[in-house]
Structures are given as C-alpha cells and as structure tokens.
Amino acid sequence: MNNSVGFIGTGNMGGALAKAAARAVASEALFVADKFADKAEALAAELGCKAVAAEEIAKNCDFIVLGVKPQMLAALLQELKPVLNARTDEFTLVSMAAGVAMADIQKMVGAEYPVIRIMPNTPVAVGQGMVLYDHTDNVSEEALAAFCEFMGYAGRLDPLPEKLIDAGSAVSGCGPAFACLFMEALADGGVACGLPRAKAMEYAAQMLLGTAALALESGQHPGQMKDAVCSPGGSTIAGVRALEQGGFRAAAMNAVEEAYYRTLELGK
Ligand SMILES: NC(=O)c1ccc[n+]([C@@H]2O[C@H](COP(=O)([O-])OP(=O)(O)OC[C@H]3O[C@@H](n4cnc5c(N)ncnc54)[C@H](OP(=O)(O)O)[C@@H]3O)[C@@H](O)[C@H]2O)c1
C-alpha cells in the first residue's frame, strides 16, 4: 500500500499493532515514536523502519495511530494539536484508547479530523487478534480500505457501532484473561490426573485454539459441538456436569457483564 503509517506509543498494544502493520506497509512508509526513544528505536530496528519524534508522525503520516494510555491521550494531543492544525492534506487519526469516544478525540484536537476507533486484544501480537472498529463519517472509502489492509494482519476485523464497542470489548478485549484462567484451570486438572505441567498446558492451549478455529470455520453452534463430543454415559458428559455444578456458565456470563459495567464506570 502507498499510505504512510505512524505509531505514537509503542508499548504492548501499539508495538504489537506496528508489527502487524509492518507486513503491509513498506518500511520507508512506517514510523514509530515513543516517549522512551530507546523503545521506539529497538522496535524500528526489528521492523526495519524509522523511529522519529511524535511531531514528525503528526506532521507527515497519512495514518496517525495513537497507542498511549487513555489518561495520557489528552496531553499528547494537546502537544500535537498545532502540528495537526497546520496540515492542509488529508490524514486519519486511529485511536485504540479504551473508553475514549471519537468525539472526545476530535474535541482534544479542536477539529473534526477523520477518526477511526479500534478495540484490539492481546492476540494481535501473533496475528490472531480481534479488532473491533468504528469511524467518523468523514473517513474516506480509500482511507478505510487502506486501514483494513494494514490492520488486517493483526487478526480478524469487525466494524461495530461505537455504542457497542464497550460491550464487544468485554468479550474480546477482556476475554483473553478469562480464557487464560480456563486454560490454566484445565492444565491444573491435567496435573492432578498425573500429567507433567508442560504437557498439560500445551494440550489445554492447543485444544482451546483448535476448538475456536473449528467453531469459526464450521459456523457450528458451540452447543452442537459439545453434543458431538459427549457420548451417552461417557466421560465428557460427566465433566460437563461437573462444570454445570460449579456454575461455570453463570460465572462466565457474570465475568463479561462485570467487565462491561466496570468499563462504563471507568469511562465516566
Ligand atoms: N493492552 C491491551 O490489552 C489493550 C487492549 C485494547 C486497547 N488497549 C489500548 O492500547 C493503548 C496502549 O495500551 P498499552 O497496554 O499498550 O500501554 P503501554 O504498554 O503503557 O504503552 C503505551 C506507550 O506509550 C508511551 N507514551 C506515553 N506518552 C507518550 C507520548 N506523549 N509520546 C509518545 N509515547 C508516549 C508509553 O511510554 P511510558 O511507558 O514512558 O509512559 C508507552 O511506551 C491504551 O489506550 C489502551 O487502552 C490496550
């Protein structure tokens, strides 16, 4: 693609997304910046791109990806505002800040620049993320297509109205922590049955990966997939009953709802 993309804030999420984007964006069109220049330079060396000052990205890039923590965003945009306001060409701001609305970003920069809001999750680091996104009406079709091209390497992209992003995030953004708890608990069960820890972890992780892939690829309902593994009077249905006795489904539903309410609280 021909567009230039700059990442400001190369921490966990910004860094992971920059790595994904590097697969679509030519190295001379990819830029990274961080408060800690060393951090940006190490990432730039890994990706074969350039580490620059945040102002340079704000001045020149077609896509300016904001990867700082939500509480740092206002200060960063205050700093970049004069540089952005001096531009006469078209550019798009991409924000990953949890709980910050697109209208808030526009207020922070004092102009209605095109904004794409994304909600990624940690598996973007291995190209298996879930990236929810919405955009302001003034994002051009070309810009959206270019965004989908470079963000596509982070995983699965799904357009979602902004009012649902917090709900989506409670499943896909917070979900890796819930899935990890399940994964660890399954491995603990394996160890209790005599498996070495490393093997139990590997089996649990690959089983979750494979089951998710099967659900997505086949389009089967999880209930149907569960039924297919449960033979009458067999061992799997005995395990299913144990999970039901432990209130597993209610616990998982409550986890998502609690995470959602907490996001709403933090956004106030
Ligand atoms: N992690 C997740 O699972 C996840 C999921 C969805 C969305 N997000 C969003 O992703 C964003 C980043 O989160 P994170 O977990 O990646 O945080 P992080 O690891 O702390 O990364 C933020 C980076 O930005 C740098 N930074 C701060 N102010 C800066 C400035 N003015 N100019 C340039 N760089 C600056 C930070 O440097 P310092 O360390 O020196 O402050 C840090 O390296 C947040 O908005 C978060 O809501 C994260």
Side-chain angles (χ1 to χ4, degrees):
M1 60 180 265
N2 295 322
N3 295 269
S4 56
V5 183
F7 287 82
I8 303 179
T10 55
N12 294 319
M13 194 45 76
L17 291 175
K19 282 181 200 170
R23 297 179 59 190
V25 184
S27 53
E28 57 278 8
L30 184 66
F31 302 89
V32 292
D34 198 277
K35 219 162 64 177
F36 273 115
D38 287 359
K39 206 184 210 171
E41 268 154 28
L43 181 64
E46 188 185 333
L47 303 182
C49 71
K50 232 174 141 186
V52 295
E55 289 72 21
E56 201 169 318
I57 288 176
K59 193 172 165 193
N60 299 314
C61 285
D62 298 319
F63 289 92
I64 302 162
V65 187
L66 305 163
V68 305
K69 292 270 188 207
Q71 60 273 23
M72 310 276 191
L73 197 58
L76 172 70
L77 289 176
Q78 188 61 35
E79 225 175 273
L80 301 181
K81 192 174 159 178
V83 185
L84 296 173
N85 292 171
R87 283 181 71 159
T88 51
D89 60 338
E90 212 182 286
F91 61 89
T92 305
L93 297 170
V94 180
S95 167
M96 64 188 77
V100 183
M102 297 185 286
D104 295 335
I105 306 265
Q106 290 180 325
K107 265 189 222 138
M108 289 176 202
V109 287
E112 294 190 349
Y113 298 128
V115 179
I116 300 177
R117 177 175 170 192
I118 61 172
M119 180 44 66
N121 64 3
T122 49
V124 298
V126 290
Q128 290 283 354
M130 183 73 238
V131 182
L132 315 175
Y133 72 93
D134 195 11
H135 59 85
T136 53
D137 291 342
N138 56 352
V139 173
S140 69
E141 265 181 44
E142 295 73 27
L144 200 58
F147 159 80
C148 289
E149 194 183 337
F150 73 79
M151 202 49 82
Y153 285 97
R156 190 178 278 251
L157 294 181
D158 194 50
L160 187 71
E162 186 169 39
K163 64 177 194 302
L164 288 177
I165 282 197
D166 289 339
S169 170
V171 177
S172 63
C174 306
F178 310 152
C180 284
L181 236 63
F182 185 43
M183 194 191 305
E184 193 187 8
L186 291 172
D188 282 345
V191 172
C193 296
L195 276 179
R197 168 70 55 185
K199 287 196 182 295
M201 285 299 296
E202 181 185 346
Y203 301 164
Q206 177 60 33
M207 178 280 295
L208 289 174
L209 180 69
T211 308
L214 184 62
L216 287 172
E217 278 175 36
S218 68
Q220 283 183 76
H221 187 281
Q224 196 185 352
M225 288 170 59
K226 181 262 293 168
D227 288 354
V229 191
C230 291
S231 54
S235 32
T236 311
I237 195 70
V240 168
R241 179 167 50 206
L243 280 177
E244 296 289 11
Q245 278 169 343
F248 180 71
R249 287 177 200 247
M253 281 176 70
N254 288 340
V256 172
E257 260 196 317
E258 286 294 328
Y260 175 65
Y261 293 136
R262 182 69 184 138
T263 306
L264 297 185
E265 248 173 54
L266 290 173
K268 272 183 201 155

